[in-house]
């Protein structure tokens, strides 16, 4: 079945540690996105990528980094510079055509130890 | 004014009731509109796209009012399984900014 796979489901970060969240899709979508969801807030865009080897900052990119070396994969690194990393992280993908919706992976919950 | 505004609720309705949610958006250039459903501690899942002429999918009807800049979702004959948070999503089109509302929580009561 085609879909988006995020791993791990739960992740704990120690002070000063970088952690990487995985996102893989087999939908052949060109565009991929990372969002953060906090209680009582809408999803906020961290980074997005329209094509391999290219990505753009979203609204809250500080303290995060990404790479897009393969079409299927868009990992997100939460660096030690991100002082409030506890959140639900969602990866999404979409086709290039206008008016097409995004499809989400099942998310990673990140907490600080 | 927020780009996308939703009443967070919760809306508590009895089984079998009809319930409607509105979502207002601020940018008149917005092109694409969607409703997503999100269950507690799960990812958002696409419920339906919203087309200019309005569209229906079973018990769900979506409407777009460009003049007043809002979209609506109507759920008829509510089921217990409809209990979830419903997210309004507005896009300027293509890779341009996609904005998610905070969601409206629906609780269907037996």
């Amino acid at each position: 079945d085609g879909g988006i796979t995020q791993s791990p489901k739960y992740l704990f970060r120690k002070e000063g540690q970088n952690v990487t969240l995985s996102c893989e899709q087999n939908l052949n979508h060109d565009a991929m996105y990372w969002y953060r969801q906090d209680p009582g807030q809408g999803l906020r865009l961290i980074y997005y990528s329209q094509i391999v080897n290219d990505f753009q900052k979203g609204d809250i990119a500080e303290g995060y980094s990404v790479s897009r070396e393969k079409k299927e994969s868009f990992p997100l690194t939460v660096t030690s510079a991100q002082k409030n990393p506890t959140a639900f992280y969602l990866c999404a993908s979409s086709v290039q055509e206008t008016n097409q919706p995004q499809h989400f992976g099942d998310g990673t919950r990140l907490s600080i130890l | 004014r927020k780009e996308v505004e939703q009443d967070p609720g919760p809306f508590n309705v009895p089984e079998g009731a009809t319930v409607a949610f509105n979502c207002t958006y601020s940018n008149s250039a917005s092109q694409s509109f969607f409703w997503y459903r999100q269950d507690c501690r799960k990812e958002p899942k696409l419920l339906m796209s919203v087309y200019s002429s309005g569209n229906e999918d079973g018990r769900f009807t979506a409407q777009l009012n460009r003049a007043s800049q809002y979209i609506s979702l109507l759920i008829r004959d509510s089921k217990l399984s409809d209990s979830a948070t419903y997210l309004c999503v507005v896009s300027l089109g293509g890779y341009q900014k996609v904005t998610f509302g905070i969601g409206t929580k629906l609780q269907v009561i037996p």
Side-chain angles (χ1 to χ4, degrees), chain A residues 10 30-31 33 35 37 40-43 48 50 59 88 90 96 98-102 104-106 109, chain B residues 31-32 34 36 38 40-46 49 87 92-95 97-103:
Chain A
Y10 300 94
D30 286 298
Y33 312 80
Y35 293 91
Q37 188 175 37
Q41 296 194 43
L43 276 67
Y48 68 98
Q50 300 177 24
D59 299 318
F88 187 37
L90 288 157
Q96 281 196 24
T98 303
N99 301 332
Q100 294 302 308
Q102 297 178 15
F104 288 86
D106 58 3
R109 291 198 177 274
Chain B
Q31 293 189 27
S32 307
F34 309 96
Y36 281 74
Q38 186 173 24
C40 188
R41 301 178 70 81
K42 299 282 190 182
E43 77 276 20
K45 293 186 178 176
L46 179 68
S49 302
L87 306 179
L92 289 171
Y95 298 109
K97 191 174 176 65
V98 174
T99 305
F100 289 78
I102 63 170

Side-chain angles (χ1 to χ4, degrees), chain A residues 78-93:
Chain A
V78 183
T79 74
S80 56
Q82 173 48 247
K83 298 305 179 189
N84 184 23
T86 298
F88 187 37
Y89 290 86
L90 288 157
C91 177
S93 70

Side-chain angles (χ1 to χ4, degrees), chain A residues 26-69:
Chain A
N26 60 5
L27 299 168
N28 200 34
H29 287 170
D30 286 298
M32 297 187 73
Y33 312 80
W34 273 106
Y35 293 91
R36 167 182 174 138
Q37 188 175 37
D38 294 278
Q41 296 194 43
L43 276 67
R44 292 183 290 167
L45 182 65
I46 304 172
Y47 269 98
Y48 68 98
S49 168
Q50 300 177 24
I51 197 168
V52 173
N53 292 323
D54 183 59
F55 48 83
Q56 307 294 329
K57 290 182 179 181
D59 299 318
I60 54 165
E62 187 174 346
Y64 300 97
S65 65
V66 293
S67 62
R68 186 87 186 275
E69 297 176 3

